């Protein structure tokens, strides 16, 4: 079982640590920013989804056999291997550091069961914890009808079991605004030793909601992301309880 960063309990802190054809906007290094306000999509619930799968080579994919020894193998379609607990041993978690306009700061994440609230502060809620990268993945909801109360949100992903494996997963974070095309960010940079990744920063800049691609990998966990972006929270080690797993 791995150790992760959890916020230390204190007086002030009470948390643990496109394309047109597909109707999608892909944020890249070259085109890394989009305005939800200018897209007419800065209202309603913004859904943020993390999904991933192991690369075929890491799942013990089909072994190549000689067609001379097995000539009819060429006529047989390849076997589709589904996910299972024994195969997918990487547990990616989705989290969000938040800062509200009144100065309130904190985190929403599976670790510690801090799932947030979509109808009250921080207006961010995590739907649950997906251990194996299923099709539904993990999802965070942001209530953009309360955008005037939100200053900035940093959406991040981390590997719970401490096994550095971002380079072996096909992880994608997708934002689904209430209106307009979805926004996709692929975690496709090869960072074999990284354990966490700051994926996207959502900021309220003069009442305009800006979404900016980050994709910044770090070797530590939430505390390192905090230092990188100047959140100023106090972190300690944290565990997932049986209920969180």
């Amino acid at each position: 079982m791995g150790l992760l960063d959890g916020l230390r309990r204190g007086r002030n802190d009470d948390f643990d640590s496109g394309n047109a054809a597909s109707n999608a906007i892909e944020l890249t290094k070259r085109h890394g920013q989009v305005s939800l306000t200018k897209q007419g999509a800065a209202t309603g619930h913004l859904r943020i989804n993390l999904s991933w799968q192991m690369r075929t080579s890491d799942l013990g994919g089909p072994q190549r056999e000689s067609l001379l020894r097995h000539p009819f193998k060429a006529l047989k379609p390849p076997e589709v291997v589904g996910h299972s607990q024994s195969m997918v041993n990487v547990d990616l978690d989705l989290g969000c550091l938040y800062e509200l306009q009144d100065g309130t700061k904190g985190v929403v994440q599976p670790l510690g069961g801090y799932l947030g609230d979509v109808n009250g502060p921080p207006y961010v809620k995590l739907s649950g914890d997906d251990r194996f990268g299923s099709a539904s993945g993990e999802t965070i909801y942001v209530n953009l009808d309360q955008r005037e109360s939100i200053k900035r949100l940093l959406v991040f992903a981390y590997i719970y079991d401490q096994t550095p494996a971002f380079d072996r997963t096909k992880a994608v974070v997708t934002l689904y605004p209430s209106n307009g095309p979805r926004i996709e960010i692929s975690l496709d940079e090869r960072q074999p030793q990284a354990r966490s990744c700051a994926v996207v920063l959502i900021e309220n800049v003069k009442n305009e909601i800006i979404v900016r691609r980050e994709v910044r990998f770090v070797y530590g966990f939430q505390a390192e992301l905090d230092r990188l972006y100047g959140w100023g929270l106090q972190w300690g080690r944290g565990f997932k309880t049986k209920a969180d797993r």
Side-chain angles (χ1 to χ4, degrees):
M1 181 185 302
L3 297 177
L4 282 174
D5 294 322
L7 277 172
R8 294 175 181 168
R9 297 183 184 275
R11 289 176 297 177
N12 298 323
D13 299 320
D14 189 24
F15 300 90
D16 289 333
S17 73
N19 65 58
S22 62
N23 192 33
I25 297 172
E26 183 179 359
L27 295 186
T28 63
K29 286 183 177 181
R30 187 173 181 180
H31 302 286
Q33 182 173 299
V34 65
S35 169
L36 292 185
T37 303
K38 291 180 179 179
Q39 296 278 340
T43 59
H45 286 178
L46 172 67
R47 180 163 57 98
I48 305 172
N49 177 260
L50 166 68
S51 60
W52 75 94
Q53 64 183 37
M54 298 299 293
R55 298 183 188 277
T56 305
S57 59
D58 295 314
L59 289 175
Q63 301 295 320
R64 294 185 178 180
E65 297 184 70
S66 171
L67 294 182
L68 294 177
R69 296 180 60 187
H70 304 281
F72 294 103
K73 288 277 187 179
L75 303 177
K76 184 179 179 181
E79 181 181 358
V80 176
V81 181
H83 290 309
S84 70
Q85 183 170 355
S86 61
M87 288 181 178
V88 182
N89 58 359
V90 176
D91 180 12
L92 291 185
D93 281 342
L94 185 66
C96 179
L97 284 166
Y98 63 82
E99 181 178 1
L100 303 183
Q101 295 288 3
D102 65 4
T104 302
K105 298 178 181 179
V107 67
V108 171
Q109 63 180 19
L111 182 64
Y114 290 95
L115 303 183
D117 189 339
V118 76
N119 295 314
Y123 308 109
V124 179
K125 182 175 178 61
L126 179 68
S127 64
D129 181 12
D130 178 6
R131 296 293 308 283
F132 309 116
S134 66
S136 60
E138 294 190 5
T139 301
I140 284 176
Y141 294 91
V142 179
N143 186 351
L144 291 181
D145 289 335
Q146 300 293 331
R147 60 193 177 279
E148 293 181 357
S149 299
I150 298 171
K151 183 176 182 179
R152 59 175 179 159
L153 307 172
L154 179 67
V155 178
F156 62 90
Y158 61 93
I159 299 176
Y160 173 70
D161 63 6
Q162 294 199 62
T163 303
F166 272 111
D167 63 326
R168 293 191 290 116
T169 61
K170 296 179 179 178
V172 177
V173 171
T174 307
L175 284 66
Y176 297 89
S178 60
N179 180 51
R182 67 183 185 272
I183 302 166
E184 296 180 347
I185 305 102
S186 298
L187 309 187
D188 53 3
E189 298 179 15
R190 295 190 65 82
Q191 297 285 344
Q193 298 303 315
R195 292 181 170 88
S196 303
C197 179
V199 180
V200 64
L201 188 65
I202 303 170
E203 293 183 290
N204 186 337
V205 181
K206 297 180 180 180
N207 296 320
E208 182 179 1
I209 302 300
I210 303 294
V211 175
R212 188 173 75 234
R213 176 190 184 272
E214 296 293 318
V215 189
R216 299 177 70 176
F217 291 90
V218 299
Y219 300 118
F221 294 106
Q222 292 91 322
E224 190 169 346
L225 293 173
D226 182 311
R227 288 190 293 270
L228 190 63
Y229 287 88
W231 237 263
L233 303 176
Q234 294 184 359
W235 300 84
R237 287 181 173 178
F239 299 88
K240 277 190 181 181
T241 65
K242 290 183 178 180
D244 297 325
R245 296 177 209 161

